[in-house]
């Protein structure tokens, strides 16, 4: 039977128990990790011990200083659905937010980049139903008129993949050598598998 990793709050309870018991950081970390391996490391245990020594026994994460996020996920989702071909840099410029903030919020709303387009990470129920009905219809058709034998084959071939999206941007004047370097373009090779 596989071991389950305990929740973070339970680990904090164990650290608080070891603190009240009088164990030092290394012993507390070893005892906790004997029961649940890799549940906590020494630096993390030291941070909680210093918090407990100051008299703060609150086991929830406290407010951290820093710039609060002002990006609304609804606004980001609307922006992405309006034009799914935008890059993170373009979204960052449009919404006036840092690049990392845009990346984190895209992950929160479940969007990933596929072939230069932001798409939902998981299929929606409508997409799943469409795919299921299409496969079911193809299987029913195959029972009356076998066509998979003529249709399904297998082969592999290396092809050049070129997905260049040229953009205009302002830059400093370039030298002759830099122009020649920019003209040399080596596309990627991709393995195409056809079934």
């Amino acid at each position: 039977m596989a071991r389950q990793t305990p929740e973070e709050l339970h680990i904090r309870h164990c650290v608080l128990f070891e603190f009240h018991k009088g164990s030092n950081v290394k012993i507390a970390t070893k005892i906790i990790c004997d029961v649940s391996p890799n549940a906590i490391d020494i630096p993390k245990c030291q941070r909680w011990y210093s918090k407990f020594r100051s008299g703060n026994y609150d086991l929830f994460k406290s407010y951290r200083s820093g710039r609060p996020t002002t990006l609304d996920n609804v606004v980001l989702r609307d922006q992405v659905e309006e034009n799914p071909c935008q890059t993170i840099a373009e979204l960052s410029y449009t919404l006036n937010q840092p690049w990392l903030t845009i990346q984190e919020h895209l992950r929160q709303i479940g969007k990933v980049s596929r072939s230069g387009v932001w798409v939902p990470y998981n299929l929606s129920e409508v997409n799943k139903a469409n795919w299921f009905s299409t496969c079911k219809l193809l299987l029913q058709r195959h029972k009356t008129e076998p066509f998979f034998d003529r249709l399904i084959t297998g082969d592999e071939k290396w092809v050049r993949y070129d997905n260049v999206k040229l953009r205009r941007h302002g830059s400093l004047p370039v030298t002759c050598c830099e122009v020649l370097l920019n003209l040399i373009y080596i596309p990627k090779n991709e393995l195409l598998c056809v079934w």
Side-chain angles (χ1 to χ4, degrees):
M1 184 170 148
R3 284 188 172 178
Q4 290 183 334
T5 306
E7 291 183 19
E8 183 72 24
L9 185 61
H10 296 163
I11 299 297
R12 293 178 197 156
H13 280 287
C14 295
V15 172
L16 180 61
F17 175 76
E18 293 296 327
F19 175 77
H20 284 307
K21 199 165 86 169
S23 302
N24 67 20
V25 172
K26 288 184 180 181
I27 293 173
T29 305
K30 183 182 180 322
I31 291 172
I32 294 170
C33 287
D34 285 345
V35 175
S36 180
N38 300 325
I40 192 167
D41 55 4
I42 291 176
K44 192 174 194 177
C45 192
Q46 285 173 338
R47 286 193 299 272
W48 282 103
Y49 262 58
S50 66
K51 183 177 178 180
F52 298 149
R53 279 190 204 105
S54 69
N56 184 358
Y57 297 110
D58 183 21
L59 297 176
F60 296 98
K61 288 186 179 179
S62 59
Y63 172 75
R64 299 171 97 179
S65 64
R67 182 173 149 189
T69 181
T70 58
L71 180 62
D72 187 12
N73 285 346
V74 176
V75 173
L76 179 62
R77 181 179 287 118
D78 292 341
Q79 193 74 16
V80 168
E81 289 175 358
E82 180 183 316
N83 182 7
C85 295
Q86 297 180 75
T87 64
I88 293 178
E90 290 170 342
L91 288 168
S92 173
Y93 179 76
T94 304
L95 298 172
N96 195 21
Q97 293 290 328
W99 189 88
L100 288 172
T101 302
I102 298 291
Q103 185 178 25
E104 179 63 31
H105 283 267
L106 283 170
R107 190 176 302 121
Q108 287 176 7
I109 63 174
K111 297 285 186 179
V112 292
S113 181
R114 297 274 189 259
S115 301
V117 178
W118 292 103
V119 295
Y121 184 72
N122 294 323
L123 291 175
S124 66
E125 293 302 319
V126 174
N127 290 344
K128 289 178 185 177
N130 286 341
W131 283 22
F132 178 76
S133 63
T134 303
C135 291
K136 191 174 177 181
L137 288 173
L138 285 172
L139 285 173
Q140 288 174 353
R141 180 178 166 200
H142 180 66
K143 288 178 183 176
T144 58
E145 175 196 348
F147 66 95
F148 283 146
D149 298 334
R150 332 184 282 267
L151 180 69
I152 298 178
T153 60
D155 195 12
E156 294 179 352
K157 180 175 174 88
W158 285 96
V159 294
R160 294 214 182 260
Y161 174 71
D162 187 11
N163 190 14
V164 178
K165 190 172 185 182
L166 298 177
R167 298 170 187 206
R168 245 189 308 170
H169 54 41
S171 62
L172 298 173
V174 294
T175 64
C176 181
C177 295
E178 290 174 351
V179 170
L180 288 176
L181 287 175
N182 288 336
L183 291 177
I184 299 172
Y185 173 72
I186 302 170
K188 294 181 182 178
N189 284 332
E190 295 287 333
L191 179 63
L192 178 65
C193 298
V194 180
W195 298 98

